[in-house]
Amino acid sequence: MITKFITSVSTTFSPFNARSGKTARSFLALLPPNARQNMKIDVEMLPRAAPSAPSASAKPEPAAVLLLGFKDGKQMSLDLEKLKIKDVQEEVDRHSRLLARQEELTGN
């Protein structure tokens, strides 16, 4: 996974949810050891009693979310309830390859 162009990572997940919790933990484990020096990382774990999807609001927000910020200013919001780790990697790599290509063409 290309993490060179990621500037911020923010995630909210329940460690007790088998699917979304594993995806979030796997993504965080894929970050390089010096990630905290290069990017802002914010992790919020939901309590066990937190519902997986609130039903009170008209447009429910997913309980497990991964928010990514890139060097070009793009903000990416990924629903970890629906995506597996491979899907998250594909989305991140797709945008990172685009940024790498732009950097290569500008000669930076």
Side-chain angles (χ1 to χ4, degrees), residues 1-107:
M1 184 170 69
I2 305 168
T3 60
K4 177 181 177 182
F5 301 102
I6 299 174
T7 57
S8 65
V9 176
S10 178
T11 184
T12 303
F13 67 95
S14 172
F16 304 106
N17 184 330
R19 180 166 183 155
S20 64
K22 183 176 181 181
T23 303
R25 289 190 315 270
S26 297
F27 180 82
L28 293 171
L30 289 174
L31 295 176
N34 63 349
R36 290 207 180 265
Q37 297 169 358
N38 302 332
M39 61 184 82
K40 181 179 178 273
I41 299 175
D42 181 38
V43 178
E44 180 184 345
M45 288 193 229
L46 300 172
R48 182 182 288 257
S52 61
S55 59
S57 64
K59 186 176 180 182
E61 288 290 321
V65 178
L66 179 65
L67 301 169
L68 300 170
F70 290 90
K71 285 187 178 180
D72 67 341
K74 177 174 176 148
Q75 297 290 324
M76 188 180 290
S77 177
L78 302 170
D79 181 5
L80 298 179
E81 295 285 336
K82 297 177 183 173
L83 299 174
K84 293 184 179 180
I85 187 63
K86 292 290 184 186
D87 301 327
V88 173
Q89 282 181 304
E90 284 178 13
E91 292 293 323
V92 171
D93 284 345
R94 180 179 298 130
H95 190 68
S96 293
R97 281 192 303 270
L98 180 88
L99 292 176
R101 192 174 309 122
Q102 287 176 350
E103 183 181 67
E104 187 177 297
L105 290 174
T106 59

